[in-house]
Amino acid sequence: MSHDASHGHDHVHEPDEVNDNVSTRLIGIALGVIVVFTCITIQRSMGWHEVVGGIMTGLSGMVMGALGTSVRIPSGAAILGWAGGIAFFTSIAMFLGLRLF
């Protein structure tokens, strides 16, 4: 009688799929836009340079995207993924836009 020790029996099965549908996309996009405006508002109210708003937006996007990979709720993963992507790519657009001026 052989026992396969390579497969643990006490592991919690995590969901393999992300609940990516229209409603989670819209919520994620709205959350991403809110984060972008919040970071820009903080940067302007503190009187910091415009680049700081882009840095805060990019870091927020990276954190939300990373959190989206470790959430246990499939809808939360989709929402954080979309919000993180919106914030991160907006920060890149902000940097490229600032270089033009």
Side-chain angles (χ1 to χ4, degrees), residues 2-91:
S2 67
H3 179 68
D4 187 9
S6 65
H7 294 81
H9 298 287
D10 295 332
H11 291 276
V12 176
H13 180 67
E14 305 230 354
D16 295 337
E17 299 173 1
V18 174
N19 187 16
D20 188 21
N21 54 38
V22 174
S23 61
T24 57
R25 288 179 185 184
L26 290 175
I27 293 170
I29 291 169
L31 180 63
V33 169
I34 289 169
V35 167
V36 169
F37 283 125
T38 302
C39 291
I40 292 172
T41 301
I42 291 171
Q43 171 260 318
R44 288 183 179 169
S45 68
M46 298 298 286
W48 295 333
H49 193 272
E50 289 85 9
V51 173
V52 176
I55 292 171
M56 290 184 347
T57 303
L59 288 175
S60 299
M62 288 186 339
V63 168
M64 284 189 294
L67 286 175
T69 63
S70 62
V71 219
R72 296 182 187 262
I73 302 168
S75 295
I79 291 169
L80 286 172
W82 277 95
I86 293 294
F88 184 74
F89 288 115
T90 301
S91 72

